[in-house]
Amino acid sequence: MVQKLYKPFLLYIDGRFAEHQGIVTARGMIREVGLLAELEKKYPEAETIDWPDEVIIPGTVNAHNHSFQSLLRGLAVDKPFLEWRDQSLYKYSPYLKAKNVYTGAVFAFGEMMKYGVTTVCDYFYVHNEGVDSDEAIIQAAKDVGIRLVLARTMYDWNGAPSGYIETVEDAAQNVKYLAEKYAADDMMTIVPAPHSLHAASVEMVKAGHRLAQELDTHFHIHVAEEPFEVDQVLREHNLRPVELLKKLGVMDDHRMVAIHCVWLNENEKELMGKTQSKLVYCPSSNMFLADGVTDIPALQKKRVNIGLGSDGACSNNRISVFEEMRMCAMLQKVNTLNSLAVNYKQVFDMGTVNGGEILQLPIGKLQAGYKADFVALNSKDLSMQPITQNYEQILPNIVYSMQPNAIDYVVVDGKVTVKKGKILTVPEHRIVEKVENLMNGLEKGL
């Protein structure tokens, strides 16, 4: 068993930065965290990794992404939501074969991992080649070396491209097949994801919930992202989105992970809290698409567990969870005209430990028994300064001022995947070349 002992300048443990601390890893797990002097005596055979200028923090958790959308970044920008959807997603995604989906996922996963993401939940619904398209996402994650939760989408609204649409039976069967196939893979988790109350029928939502019960997972669903969804649900069911989900019984066993939740009324916020629902908040995407502002302070008061997502890179357009931490705090402050609305520690937790809890994985903490997923930041980088002897500025600086060039190393499953800002698993020049060739080919074919 190969053991590694990491010796940084500072380590983030128990909500503070501490000197003279180390991390011992083995078989992809954190075996022990503690005083360096004691760890060196206890693990004399461990490979020592000296990072004297590095500040080690947990890897960030991107709890909502659409990897194929990285290929569409810069297209149909500055448009209303439905125009953006039709001119980017619906225009290009019908042409994406599994090999193209793979290229987009390698691109997305490589970029976000370079910027400190160690786990991503990819919400995927472009099934032009059936389950082979899902397998392309999974293979891309393996090749890049990022931890993946595949929110395998269940979609049956016939207004979408044909590659999105499945029967309820086929969607459930495909999710179950993937979940069983990868059940023993420590780096992969498959969860059902009925798309939304706009794009998934009531029967599809119920099927996703039943499957989550069978697989003992959460299920993910977009909720009240846009006013048109609220209007549609009110018109068809005489209930608002969360009220309908509650009536369907899919919120009663605490399995629902809701994405966005921009347009909730007070009763819906209350229901979210009472049912211990989870929220993945995507502030940059909500701003880019002019969706509105989710009421994070109110949902926090209801004890809703909140994580962060980048959403797709054509509706953000950055895919960094550190960016989402900053955007969350600042957007909530200005929206409420209250500088105390959301603070730096809360958003840091949203992007790390909360994300791990929402994805039901032992990630987001530097603690024995958790996955060996962490990020090393260069304390000498200008964007990390100033650092005084009490270290009180470090966490605020990480959230509010740190730039991506401060990210020196990324470790996933105990393996260094990014070194001095360079991806080690898939050469960046190859990613760029494949993306350029793919997009040039798509443009010529349209």
Side-chain angles (χ1 to χ4, degrees):
M1 177 174 61
V2 177
Q3 297 173 338
K4 296 181 181 180
L5 171 56
Y6 291 84
K7 300 169 63 175
F9 164 45
L10 295 172
L11 195 63
Y12 185 72
I13 51 174
D14 300 325
R16 64 186 182 87
F17 290 92
E19 295 180 88
H20 312 302
Q21 302 286 316
I23 302 178
V24 177
T25 67
R27 295 176 179 167
M29 302 294 292
I30 297 175
R31 183 160 184 179
E32 192 167 348
V33 176
L35 286 169
L36 270 172
E38 295 178 3
L39 295 177
E40 287 173 326
K41 290 178 182 178
K42 189 172 180 179
Y43 301 95
E45 304 301 318
E47 176 188 349
T48 299
I49 299 172
D50 284 303
W51 285 347
D53 293 329
E54 304 299 326
V55 176
I56 294 183
I57 62 173
T60 66
V61 179
N62 188 352
H64 185 73
N65 176 249
H66 305 286
S67 60
F68 82 93
Q69 293 185 16
S70 283
L71 296 170
L72 310 180
R73 183 161 57 189
L75 297 172
V77 298
D78 302 332
K79 304 283 187 183
F81 180 90
L82 293 177
E83 288 185 33
W84 162 82
R85 182 197 69 184
D86 293 346
Q87 295 176 25
S88 59
L89 307 188
Y90 284 11
K91 179 179 178 181
Y92 287 88
S93 59
Y95 299 93
L96 296 178
K97 300 182 182 298
K99 64 181 181 180
N100 309 135
V101 166
Y102 171 84
T103 296
V106 168
F107 174 31
F109 298 159
E111 182 181 5
M112 69 178 69
M113 189 174 71
K114 182 175 178 175
Y115 297 149
V117 173
T118 53
T119 298
V120 57
C121 179
D122 203 54
Y123 204 112
F124 182 65
Y125 50 83
V126 183
H127 297 109
N128 295 327
E129 294 186 341
V131 173
D132 287 349
S133 298
D134 300 299
E135 298 273 15
I137 299 284
I138 292 167
Q139 189 59 52
K142 287 179 176 291
D143 291 346
V144 171
I146 200 167
R147 195 176 302 281
L148 174 68
V149 174
L150 179 67
R152 207 282 180 180
T153 308
M154 305 167 73
Y155 200 121
D156 61 352
W157 176 56
N158 61 12
S162 60
Y164 296 20
I165 303 167
E166 297 172 301
T167 65
V168 174
E169 293 75 15
D170 285 347
Q173 182 179 345
N174 288 333
V175 175
K176 187 175 180 180
Y177 165 77
L178 291 165
E180 291 175 346
K181 180 175 180 178
Y182 291 97
D185 191 327
D186 188 57
M187 291 289 287
M188 303 291 152
T189 306
I190 313 298
V191 300
H195 184 275
S196 61
L197 288 170
H198 164 67
S201 64
V202 164
E203 291 74 21
M204 187 72 90
V205 173
K206 288 181 176 179
H209 175 249
R210 285 195 301 271
L211 199 51
Q213 291 177 316
E214 182 179 346
L215 299 172
D216 195 21
T217 67
H218 291 158
F219 75 94
H220 293 226
I221 182 169
H222 297 89
V223 176
E225 179 180 3
E226 289 277 332
F228 77 80
E229 179 191 317
V230 178
D231 293 342
Q232 177 184 335
V233 174
L234 277 168
R235 185 171 62 253
E236 294 176 358
H237 301 278
N238 200 32
L239 293 167
R240 295 178 62 85
V242 174
E243 293 169 344
L244 176 58
L245 291 165
K246 182 67 172 69
K247 182 180 179 182
L248 296 178
V250 302
M251 297 175 67
D252 294 338
D253 53 3
H254 321 314
R255 296 183 185 274
M256 189 174 83
V257 177
I259 318 300
H260 301 305
C261 290
V262 179
W263 295 93
L264 303 186
N265 68 9
E266 291 305 312
N267 183 51
E268 290 177 291
K269 296 170 195 173
E270 189 73 28
L271 287 173
M272 289 281 290
K274 285 182 176 178
T275 57
Q276 299 177 38
S277 298
K278 291 81 182 167
L279 167 66
V280 179
Y281 180 41
C282 306
S284 293
S285 178
N286 293 160
M287 286 189 280
F288 184 88
L289 296 174
D291 288 339
V293 184
T294 304
D295 191 349
I296 295 299
L299 290 166
Q300 285 180 316
K301 288 177 182 176
K302 307 295 184 187
R303 299 184 182 276
V304 174
N305 195 3
I306 301 170
L308 294 175
S310 65
D311 214 350
C314 65
S315 69
N316 183 313
N317 291 347
R318 300 174 181 176
I319 44 178
S320 160
V321 172
F322 290 118
E323 176 82 6
E324 299 312 304
M325 293 177 189
R326 184 174 192 268
M327 290 297 102
C328 176
M330 297 180 73
L331 178 58
Q332 294 299 320
K333 292 176 193 296
V334 73
N335 187 57
T336 59
L337 300 180
N338 177 7
S339 63
L340 306 179
V342 176
N343 65 47
Y344 66 89
K345 175 65 166 57
Q346 290 171 323
V347 295
F348 184 81
D349 287 348
M350 289 178 195
T352 53
V353 63
N354 292 13
E357 292 169 355
I358 288 168
L359 298 183
Q360 299 178 287
L361 294 172
I363 55 175
K365 275 187 183 180
L366 302 180
Q367 182 176 307
Y370 277 66
K371 301 295 185 183
D373 298 354
F374 45 87
V375 174
L377 309 173
N378 189 335
S379 64
K380 304 299 185 184
D381 189 88
L382 292 178
S383 68
M384 288 285 290
Q385 296 293 321
I387 296 176
T388 51
Q389 289 184 342
N390 62 13
Y391 304 139
E392 68 175 303
Q393 293 156 289
I394 297 180
L395 195 60
N397 287 353
I398 289 171
V399 169
Y400 291 125
S401 69
M402 187 190 73
Q403 296 290 342
N405 46 273
I407 301 169
D408 273 351
Y409 299 96
V410 177
V411 176
V412 186
D413 200 42
K415 305 175 185 70
V416 177
T417 57
V418 174
K419 180 179 180 180
K420 290 297 181 181
K422 295 293 183 184
I423 302 169
L424 298 182
T425 50
V426 182
E428 292 180 41
H429 68 88
R430 277 179 47 202
I431 297 175
V432 172
E433 181 180 315
K434 286 181 176 293
V435 169
E436 287 180 345
N437 290 340
L438 167 58
M439 293 310 296
N440 287 334
L442 279 179
E443 285 289 348
K444 289 177 183 177
L446 289 175

